[in-house]
Amino acid sequence: MMYKRYHDVREFYDAVYDLLMEDEANNLIPLGNVLIGVKGEDKFGWRDPANWFMATVSDDGGVQLVAIMTPPHNITLYAKDNKIDATAIGCLIDNSTDVPFPGVIALRNLSFTFAQAYCAKNGLQHETAMELRCFELTEVNPDIKQFGTLRLVNEGDMHFFPFWAEGMFAADVYGKTTMNIPQDYATYLHRINSRKVHVLEVDGQPVSIAAAHREMVTVCGIGLVYTPPYFTRRGYATSCVAQLSQNVLDRGFKKCVLYTDLANPTSNSIYQKIGYRPIGDSVNLKFV
């Protein structure tokens, strides 16, 4: 096995892009990150590739394992053909001892296999931060009841958008019922200026948000889905995601892809009603 560390994101792109594209939907996260780095248009926050960890493990048959970490996030892995090679995992761990990994996210079996080997070598334990399911959609259910009008968020939405964004991260990412009070104006303005976040308005009132991001070749990701508690159970989130998904398909993408927390049966049910179908389970593990 041959380990290679990359410091040039373009070189890393050339080495892994075709391999990651073999499973475009499940590789939405690493593919999106690599493309962000190559374009170099957005270096806000974690997006500057100068701070990334990028590596591959290869044999005579080519690259067998891809690894990318965009601090402070966990390392993300992909194994060729989704086949786990313990030797490749060991090679990656043995050659990256100078880089502390806070955790790992990958398809379920790969994530656990890596975590067990990494923790054994470093005297750590792993805990499940979140179990995820990847869904894809090729056609929106035409029977979904639609509400209001979908539009891009703008600076005029700063009176509510930062709070809704924090609410989404608190509930969906961290599993909390409380949230941080937004402090950094630039962070939320950056999201607005990215022109990826949409808000659903009903009778002129914002009721739900969702974002179309990580645009690949045939796939576009859907995320940042949030409806404040006082507007839930009215079908607004379903309508928002359905309208945005149709918008993405109308733009020429063949598939919409999103990730859900398996601990949230409500969101999993909503997305399947819209037309999303499960294609793979991932696990986000943290090392302690």
Side-chain angles (χ1 to χ4, degrees):
M1 289 288 177
M2 182 177 70
Y3 168 88
K4 183 171 183 178
R5 174 88 175 267
Y6 298 80
H7 299 281
D8 182 336
V9 69
R10 168 59 68 173
E11 184 184 3
F12 183 64
Y13 169 92
D14 291 340
V16 306
Y17 179 75
D18 289 342
L19 178 60
L20 293 176
M21 282 294 295
E22 292 178 4
D23 194 355
E24 186 180 3
N26 274 307
N27 282 325
L28 189 66
I29 294 175
L31 274 169
N33 291 344
V34 170
L35 290 175
I36 286 172
V38 168
K39 290 179 180 178
E41 300 169 351
D42 182 1
K43 294 185 179 182
F44 189 86
W46 56 265
R47 298 168 185 82
D48 187 350
N51 302 317
W52 295 358
F53 169 83
M54 300 170 285
T56 57
V57 178
S58 308
D59 61 13
D60 293 340
V63 174
Q64 301 299 316
L65 185 65
V66 177
I68 178 171
M69 184 173 70
T70 58
H73 304 123
N74 289 352
I75 186 172
T76 303
L77 304 175
Y78 173 68
K80 182 179 180 181
D81 299 325
N82 292 316
K83 294 180 180 178
I84 297 174
D85 187 324
T87 304
I89 290 174
C91 182
L92 173 63
I93 294 172
D94 290 342
N95 286 279
S96 57
T97 54
D98 60 318
V99 182
F101 302 135
V104 60
I105 180 170
L107 287 175
R108 184 179 182 85
N109 289 340
L110 177 58
S111 192
F112 276 110
T113 302
F114 177 85
Q116 289 165 2
Y118 184 82
C119 290
K121 184 176 181 64
N122 293 280
L124 301 172
Q125 295 181 349
H126 59 80
E127 296 178 353
T128 299
M130 186 178 295
E131 295 194 51
L132 303 163
R133 177 156 290 165
C134 183
F135 288 83
E136 70 175 21
L137 171 145
T138 57
E139 184 178 2
V140 175
N141 178 2
D143 297 327
I144 294 295
K145 185 177 181 179
Q146 301 295 351
F147 297 91
T149 303
L150 194 71
R151 65 166 176 82
L152 285 167
V153 297
N154 56 57
E155 289 190 48
D157 298 318
M158 282 294 290
H159 63 286
F160 73 87
F161 172 65
F163 294 91
W164 288 18
E166 287 296 332
M168 186 283 298
F169 282 110
D172 293 347
V173 178
Y174 301 111
K176 299 179 180 178
T177 56
T178 59
M179 70 175 193
N180 295 323
I181 299 299
Q183 301 290 327
D184 187 356
Y185 177 88
T187 298
Y188 309 103
L189 187 60
H190 173 80
R191 287 185 175 274
I192 288 174
N193 291 336
S194 71
R195 298 183 60 81
K196 296 175 181 178
V197 185
H198 293 69
V199 58
L200 178 68
E201 286 187 334
V202 176
D203 297 328
Q205 172 70 58
V207 297
S208 187
I209 57 172
H213 56 178
R214 295 184 181 273
E215 298 178 353
M216 301 297 112
V217 176
T218 66
V219 170
C220 180
I222 302 293
L224 196 66
V225 180
Y226 181 73
T227 302
Y230 40 87
F231 286 135
T232 57
R233 303 182 186 278
R234 304 187 191 185
Y236 293 154
T238 303
S239 179
C240 183
V241 173
Q243 290 187 50
L244 183 56
S245 300
Q246 187 61 58
N247 178 293
V248 166
L249 296 177
D250 291 344
R251 288 167 52 200
F253 291 96
K254 295 182 179 179
K255 298 176 182 178
C256 299
V257 171
L258 56 78
Y259 286 86
T260 66
D261 180 357
L262 283 178
N264 187 340
T266 301
S267 64
N268 282 273
S269 174
I270 286 174
Y271 296 137
Q272 291 185 74
K273 290 177 181 176
I274 295 171
Y276 282 87
R277 298 293 176 260
I279 60 171
D281 287 355
S282 299
V283 179
N284 187 352
L285 302 173
K286 64 179 180 179
F287 302 146
V288 296

